[in-house]
Amino acid sequence: AVVSTQSTGILLKEELTPTILQTFRSTIAPRQILNQWLIANGFSNPTFSTVENNKIFTGVLTIDNDTYVMEGDFKNKRTATQAVAYAYCMRNHIELRHYKTGPKTNR
């Protein structure tokens, strides 16, 4: 991930395609994984928000007074916040395990 500092926060740039986001539909989403990782590592709860410009959303993540921004052509708030969580995880080498959701099954 390429990171640059802007007045609005740290801009996260991560290759993020619709296919990448679709892989999380039947798994635990990046936001949830990030929340769990932050709590386990002593950080405060993150705050997610979005900024809308002409029906395109930008994801904003705040952790302990540090703000991270993920720009892209995100058509809704949910996708924008998942994208910023994904980019933060990639930047900080937080493993995004593809856990299946729902009840466990016997093999």
Side-chain angles (χ1 to χ4, degrees), residues 1-3 11-24 30 69-74 82-91 96:
V2 176
V3 180
L11 181 63
L12 300 172
K13 293 188 178 196
E14 185 66 41
E15 178 88 23
L16 192 64
T17 64
T19 304
I20 291 172
L21 290 176
Q22 287 174 356
T23 63
F24 294 105
V69 178
M70 177 70 180
E71 296 176 337
D73 293 331
F74 305 117
Q82 293 295 353
V84 73
Y86 174 85
Y88 182 88
C89 289
M90 293 294 97
R91 175 180 184 249
L96 291 170

Side-chain angles (χ1 to χ4, degrees):
V2 176
V3 180
S4 63
T5 303
Q6 291 193 336
S7 60
T8 58
I10 298 171
L11 181 63
L12 300 172
K13 293 188 178 196
E14 185 66 41
E15 178 88 23
L16 192 64
T17 64
T19 304
I20 291 172
L21 290 176
Q22 287 174 356
T23 63
F24 294 105
R25 287 187 182 205
S26 63
T27 63
I28 296 176
R31 273 185 65 166
Q32 187 174 354
I33 293 169
L34 178 58
N35 280 331
Q36 292 172 354
W37 186 90
L38 290 170
I39 290 168
N41 287 282
F43 291 90
S44 64
N45 286 334
T47 302
F48 290 92
S49 60
T50 56
V51 176
E52 181 186 358
N53 185 12
N54 295 323
K55 297 185 180 181
I56 300 295
F57 293 90
T58 297
V60 180
L61 166 65
T62 304
I63 303 169
D64 292 333
N65 298 320
D66 291 325
T67 301
Y68 303 89
V69 178
M70 177 70 180
E71 296 176 337
D73 293 331
F74 305 117
K75 307 265 189 268
N76 60 56
K77 291 178 180 182
R78 182 178 185 271
T79 303
T81 58
Q82 293 295 353
V84 73
Y86 174 85
Y88 182 88
C89 289
M90 293 294 97
R91 175 180 184 249
N92 293 287
H93 308 288
I94 298 169
E95 184 179 350
L96 291 170
R97 298 180 202 102
H98 292 266
Y99 294 116
K100 295 285 185 188
T101 56
K104 292 184 179 180
T105 58
N106 293 331
R107 292 184 181 201

